[in-house]
């Protein structure tokens, strides 16, 4: 047995907990950089948070120009904003882009250099600036994770900074902040969270030595990550359709926030796998949302690894509320994949890479690029040579897993807790 658990100093989850943000920030520092985006800053809930922080802090600078996928230009601008106020604490209010941006700003403020100095695993030499992370979507889990994903114009795919030192100090998860999240964003962030849960649960287990939990970030699945991943999958499976179709469904919103949080804990340790690695070059080439890409790719990657994780797919079928009591393992695994196809269709995820503008001729190059994302691809339970990854992309390009016609949500979609 060799396991570890990492996370914020304090995780606070529940309706109304956002009222604690000003106090938590003030206890962490007096000169605050707030990282958010323009759309969020116009929302009353976020504006109230910023105003309340201003009342308690000595100085506040708001950087509200965060843009999707964290381009390096945004990093430079946000670092300059932090310098203007001589920030000693960062408050990130937003989705994964905002929180990932805040993480790398904290690294550079404390250790200097540029983002490129920290690409890969465990390159951050020590603790960074205090960070209070407040998600406004239920999906990325970035408020809990040791990863910041960036877009580098000199590279053909996204890059990651992975270090235990960039886990936020405080994570405040208030479902009420997700109530205004648009349906499309709810769908894309929500299926991203489901991918986190499923990829963690099906990740390849790996043997480790005593130094590995310190020197490595992603470690493969274990009994701790299995626990969080299954609970996350259950919550999200029962609530994602409802949250997308009715953003005012507060129970669904709460379940999505809770499920996203659990999935974040799971993949912070087990790691993501082929869907995320393959999405990096595809997302960079097509400029499509991250959640859309990983959701589209998930069933094809699982289908390709069915021989290795069929038993786990069968368990996921039961966890997601399917009646597979009398089914064989193979039948239950197929039932899960068919259910997943239906979920993706119902929330508007395209069925094929061709639909999002991917050229078939580019698939081998994308597979080769994804194969180089070692921290992710080593977790895929199936073969990871370029030919095998290309085969996954070929299936996804053709949409070979038939998607059913979308069906309206019903209460039966919601498994018991």
């Amino acid at each position: 047995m060799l396991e570890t658990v990492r996370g914020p100093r304090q995780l606070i989850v529940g309706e109304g907990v956002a009222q604690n943000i000003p106090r938590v920030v003030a206890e962490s520092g007096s000169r605050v950089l707030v990282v958010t985006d323009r759309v969020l800053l116009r929302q009353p809930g976020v504006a109230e948070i910023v105003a309340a922080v201003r009342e308690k802090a000595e100085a506040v600078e708001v950087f509200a120009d965060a843009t999707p996928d964290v381009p390096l230009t945004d990093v430079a601008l946000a670092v300059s904003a932090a310098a203007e106020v001589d920030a000693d604490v960062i408050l990130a209010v937003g989705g994964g882009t905002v929180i990932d941006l805040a993480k790398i700003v904290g690294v550079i403020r404390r250790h200097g250099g540029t983002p490129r100095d920290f690409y890969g695993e465990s390159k951050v030499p020590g603790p960074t600036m205090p960070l209070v992370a407040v998600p406004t979507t239920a999906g990325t889990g970035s408020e809990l994770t040791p990863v910041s994903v960036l877009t580098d114009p000199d590279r053909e795919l996204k890059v990651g900074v992975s270090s235990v030192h960039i886990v936020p100090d405080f994570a405040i998860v208030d479902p009420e902040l997700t109530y205004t999240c648009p349906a499309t964003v709810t769908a894309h962030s929500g299926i991203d969270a489901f991918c986190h849960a499923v990829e963690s649960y099906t990740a390849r287990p790996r043997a480790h030595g005593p130094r590995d939990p310190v020197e490595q970030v992603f470690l493969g699945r274990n009994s701790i990550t299995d626990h969080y991943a299954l609970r996350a999958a259950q919550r999200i499976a029962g609530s994602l359709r409802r949250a997308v179709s009715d953003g005012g469904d507060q129970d669904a919103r709460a379940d999505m926030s809770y499920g996203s949080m659990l999935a974040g804990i799971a993949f912070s340790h087990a790691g993501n796998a082929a869907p995320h690695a393959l999405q990096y070059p595809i997302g960079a080439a097509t400029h499509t949302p991250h959640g859309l890409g990983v959701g589209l790719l998930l069933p094809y990657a699982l289908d390709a690894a069915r021989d290795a994780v069929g038993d786990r797919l069968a368990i996921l079928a039961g966890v997601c509320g399917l009646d597979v009591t009398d089914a064989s393992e193979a039948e239950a695994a197929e039932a899960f994949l068919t259910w997943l196809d239906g979920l993706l269709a119902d929330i508007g995820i395209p069925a094929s890479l061709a639909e999002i503008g991917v050229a078939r001729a580019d698939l081998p190059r994308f597979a080769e690029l994804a194969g180089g994302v070692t921290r992710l691809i080593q977790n895929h339970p199936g073969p990871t040579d370029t030919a095998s990854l290309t085969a996954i992309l070929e299936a996804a390009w053709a949409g070979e897993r038939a998607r059913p016609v979308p069906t309206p949500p019903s209460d039966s979609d919601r498994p018991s807790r």
Side-chain angles (χ1 to χ4, degrees), residues 201-202 221 305-317 329-330 332-333:
Y201 186 63
T202 57
R221 74 174 191 247
R306 193 191 300 224
D307 290 346
V309 293
D311 57 336
R312 292 193 160 238
L313 299 181
I315 291 171
L316 283 165
E329 181 180 290

Side-chain angles (χ1 to χ4, degrees), residues 21-62:
I21 294 169
R23 175 176 175 175
V24 170
V25 171
E27 290 176 350
S28 302
S30 62
R31 307 182 67 82
V32 187
L33 174 70
V34 179
V35 181
T36 187
D37 65 45
R38 293 290 173 187
V39 173
L40 287 169
L41 195 58
R42 291 194 295 268
Q43 295 183 1
V46 175
E48 289 170 7
I49 290 170
V50 174
V53 169
R54 286 189 187 279
E55 290 182 0
K56 281 188 169 289
E58 176 184 330
V60 174
E61 179 74 17
V62 178

Side-chain angles (χ1 to χ4, degrees), residues 13 94-96 99 134-144 173-196 232 235-236 239-240 243-244 249-264 267 291 347:
V13 185
I99 298 174
V134 183
T136 58
T137 64
T140 69
S142 185
E143 70 275 8
L144 298 159
V173 182
D174 190 335
E176 293 179 0
L177 294 176
T178 70
Y179 290 172
T180 57
C181 192
T184 300
V185 177
T186 299
H188 293 165
S189 59
I191 199 62
D192 187 24
F194 191 72
C195 288
H196 295 159
R235 287 293 182 99
I236 297 167
S239 300
L240 180 51
V244 172
D249 187 331
Q250 295 183 10
D251 288 340
R253 290 292 197 185
D255 274 353
M256 287 303 301
S257 287
Y258 195 72
S260 173
M261 178 267 295
L262 294 170
F267 95 81
I347 65 171

Side-chain angles (χ1 to χ4, degrees), residues 221-314:
R221 74 174 191 247
N222 58 50
S223 60
I224 294 175
T225 61
D226 283 354
H227 169 76
Y228 288 112
L230 287 177
R231 294 201 65 188
Q234 182 186 43
R235 287 293 182 99
I236 297 167
S239 300
L240 180 51
R241 281 186 178 93
R242 293 165 44 229
V244 172
S245 64
D246 179 8
D249 187 331
Q250 295 183 10
D251 288 340
R253 290 292 197 185
D255 274 353
M256 287 303 301
S257 287
Y258 195 72
S260 173
M261 178 267 295
L262 294 170
I265 296 173
F267 95 81
S268 290
H269 302 83
N272 295 317
H276 274 71
L278 292 166
Q279 192 277 335
Y280 277 13
I282 289 170
T286 62
H287 304 289
T288 47
H290 170 77
L292 181 153
V294 294
L296 190 162
L297 290 162
L298 180 64
Y300 302 104
L302 294 175
D303 206 16
R306 193 191 300 224
D307 290 346
V309 293
D311 57 336
R312 292 193 160 238
L313 299 181

